[in-house]
Amino acid sequence: MRKICAAIVAMTVFAASSYAQTWEDALTFSDTDNAGTARSIGMGNAVTAVGGDLGSIVFNPAGSAVSSFSQFELTNGVSIVTSNAEGTVFDDGSVPGFQDPTKTSIGRYKLPNIAFMLVMDSFRKRGLKSFTMGLVGNATQDYSLKYTSTGTNDRTSFAAAMASDAAGWPVATMNKDYYDANGPSWRSLNAYKAGLFNPITGRDGDYVAATERIRDDGQCEVPDVLNQGYGFRRTGYKYDWAWNMAANVSDVFYFGGNINLSVLRYRGDTYWKESTDKPSSFPTTFVGEDGTSRTDYFEQLRMRYAYRAEGGGISAKAGFLWRPFGGLRIGAAIQTPTAMDITENYGYDAYTVYTDNEYSDSSPSETWEYSMKIPSIMNAGIAYTVGDFLLLSADYEFTNYGWARFSEIEGPDTGVFAVVNQDIKDNLGACHTLRAGMEVRPSDTVALRFGYNFRSNPYKKFEAEGRQNISFGLGYSSAGSFFADAALRMTFFPVNYITPYYYYYVDEDGYSVPDLNIVTPEITLTTLRTEVMATIGWRF
């Protein structure tokens, strides 16, 4: 079945030339997938009501006050993201392109967590027994992803999609500069200037792709088999630096707060490739300024879209942890929306090779600055300890991505983000995350851990699976100050359906939108991220 969310992905890739923000960008930049220490990760990060470990501070700032020792911890890690891509089988059994199954991996070293906490004892037996102050660096998102897909197609083509996108724009307009505010999209201009499609003689505003021929009835068609390739590579991260303060009241009630400074780095590269083994089937007629014509034959093309984003923001988080009796602990925390300023940069480059000529073009590099409000996050948790042997914990986290908003950094609001902000409200909504964890201590020095997470679908209108991960951990605590932990976490991402291009675009109220009546290729993508992390620390 052809999934409607595939259209969303394609429209995100083909961002508008005036600005690149979409409601999917709001989800990309707002979504969090916290790291933590190897101990907290091993327990599935179900630590809102646990405390003591410095990985818990990002979930509940009050957790630092549970510890009676000052601590320093350093966590190192390696992640490998493996993706499997293959053309989607539609209801009629057809696979209209990108049929070849491909497996791609990307790995990176990372520093999931680094933390220092100082405990200051008040030397009181009741009341405010101690204060804590610390600094925690914690990864809140890993954007690593890479996939490629290949196949053959004799019905549709990427170059034809670009030609249809330019339909209606006169040749004189297509020859203008990229910065014409009322001109075609940058992707269309780059494709045209690089020879992916060409004007049809005597039909100003109509274009034929290098991968097409004009039939006797004037319509364009793909005349023979094309080899197609599509790929995407994404790297980057979100990282928070939290300044933490907390207090311990009679070893029963703990409260604390964080001031969070967030850093965002994102880099995405997309490419499209087409070629033929039979150039003679793809003739293109070029008409010179003197009216003479010549015929050349298509061999191959490539187009690339490069996108970069960097940002910084600030937020605050407050929480409490309560021990009402025995081994029971209850905790909760709330984080304010993050006010983030983002600078993005993007551009296109492309080339087309014919038998006798080659054409290439690179667009200017466009820079755009804007602000974004990342929604607030609410956490609640419960934990129970059975002596020194067993710890059980469960967390619930809530955020509503429909509350995300784009805005201009300076000056009066010109309404440039009105449409995309309405799209955010219409398409994104509440997201619920459930976490469960367990720690078993067979001895005073060894701990075994297990964790599970489920994050619900954040979309209002589109069917999608939730994101899940499982984790395992092992801990060692010496009789002295040294301790060490290790964890393995596997994250199973929802199946994604990606449409690399749409064949024809149609006009709707002055906007060029995809014609969903044309069957174009779709790629089914499954992704698994495997992380191995180790923490070493000292108490003093």
Side-chain angles (χ1 to χ4, degrees), residues 273-326:
K273 296 192 296 184
E274 292 184 327
S275 65
T276 179
D277 298 326
K278 300 177 181 178
S280 59
S281 298
F282 296 85
T284 296
T285 300
F286 294 89
V287 179
E289 294 181 358
D290 59 357
T292 60
S293 63
R294 61 178 178 84
T295 300
D296 209 343
Y297 299 89
F298 167 75
E299 292 185 352
Q300 61 176 294
L301 64 83
R302 184 181 187 275
M303 189 174 193
R304 174 176 173 262
Y305 173 64
Y307 175 84
R308 311 287 183 265
E310 296 184 356
I314 187 170
S315 64
K317 191 164 192 172
F320 74 88
L321 197 155
W322 177 40
R323 285 176 162 172
F325 59 84

Side-chain angles (χ1 to χ4, degrees), residues 174-475:
M174 297 299 293
N175 288 323
K176 287 185 178 181
D177 185 75
Y178 279 92
Y179 284 100
D180 185 343
N182 298 314
S185 66
W186 279 29
R187 64 179 184 269
S188 297
L189 286 171
N190 181 239
Y192 174 73
K193 295 175 187 293
L196 273 71
F197 61 88
N198 302 282
I200 299 176
T201 304
R203 292 160 54 179
D204 195 20
D206 283 345
Y207 300 91
V208 57
T211 54
E212 294 180 304
R213 70 178 178 187
I214 304 174
R215 299 193 312 238
D216 292 340
D217 62 2
Q219 299 298 310
C220 299
E221 68 174 3
V222 176
D224 212 327
V225 176
L226 289 167
N227 305 309
Q228 294 183 314
Y230 175 76
F232 177 69
R233 185 177 188 271
R234 184 180 72 192
T235 57
Y237 58 86
K238 282 199 305 180
Y239 207 89
D240 281 4
W241 288 98
W243 179 49
N244 169 260
M245 294 188 70
N248 171 1
V249 181
S250 301
D251 292 327
V252 174
F253 188 80
Y254 309 84
F255 63 94
N258 294 344
I259 299 296
N260 304 310
L261 299 179
S262 301
V263 178
L264 167 72
R265 297 289 184 271
Y266 181 100
R267 175 173 180 160
D269 291 281
T270 309
Y271 73 81
W272 300 260
K273 296 192 296 184
E274 292 184 327
S275 65
T276 179
D277 298 326
K278 300 177 181 178
S280 59
S281 298
F282 296 85
T284 296
T285 300
F286 294 89
V287 179
E289 294 181 358
D290 59 357
T292 60
S293 63
R294 61 178 178 84
T295 300
D296 209 343
Y297 299 89
F298 167 75
E299 292 185 352
Q300 61 176 294
L301 64 83
R302 184 181 187 275
M303 189 174 193
R304 174 176 173 262
Y305 173 64
Y307 175 84
R308 311 287 183 265
E310 296 184 356
I314 187 170
S315 64
K317 191 164 192 172
F320 74 88
L321 197 155
W322 177 40
R323 285 176 162 172
F325 59 84
L328 181 65
R329 301 182 187 184
I330 298 170
I334 183 169
Q335 180 170 308
T336 67
T338 302
M340 180 171 285
D341 290 343
I342 298 175
T343 300
E344 66 179 27
N345 181 278
Y346 57 91
Y348 294 86
D349 65 76
Y351 67 81
T352 308
V353 177
Y354 293 84
T355 302
D356 296 327
N357 291 278
E358 181 174 339
Y359 302 88
S360 63
D361 180 74
S362 295
S363 75
S365 182
E366 174 74 327
T367 299
W368 183 265
E369 296 181 350
Y370 56 93
S371 292
M372 180 181 177
K373 183 184 77 172
I374 295 176
S376 59
I377 301 172
M378 288 160 273
N379 300 82
I382 186 169
Y384 190 79
T385 58
V386 180
D388 295 327
F389 173 73
L390 178 65
L391 167 62
L392 300 173
S393 61
D395 277 19
Y396 168 73
E397 182 175 289
F398 171 86
T399 189
N400 191 324
Y401 292 107
W403 296 340
R405 291 292 180 272
F406 292 116
S407 62
E408 297 174 70
I409 291 180
E410 297 179 353
D413 183 8
T414 61
V416 69
F417 293 106
V419 173
V420 69
N421 283 337
Q422 186 60 49
D423 287 343
I424 293 170
K425 291 177 63 177
D426 293 342
N427 291 290
L428 296 177
C431 184
H432 311 277
T433 301
L434 300 176
R435 294 189 286 263
M438 178 175 66
E439 180 179 76
V440 180
R441 289 188 171 273
S443 72
D444 292 339
T445 58
V446 176
L448 305 175
R449 303 177 182 112
F450 171 78
Y452 172 79
N453 282 195
F454 175 81
R455 171 189 176 273
S456 71
N457 162 27
Y459 303 109
K460 281 185 176 179
K461 300 180 179 179
F462 311 107
E463 295 182 6
E465 301 169 357
R467 183 175 70 201
Q468 302 182 70
N469 68 49
I470 58 174
S471 56
F472 306 90
L474 176 66

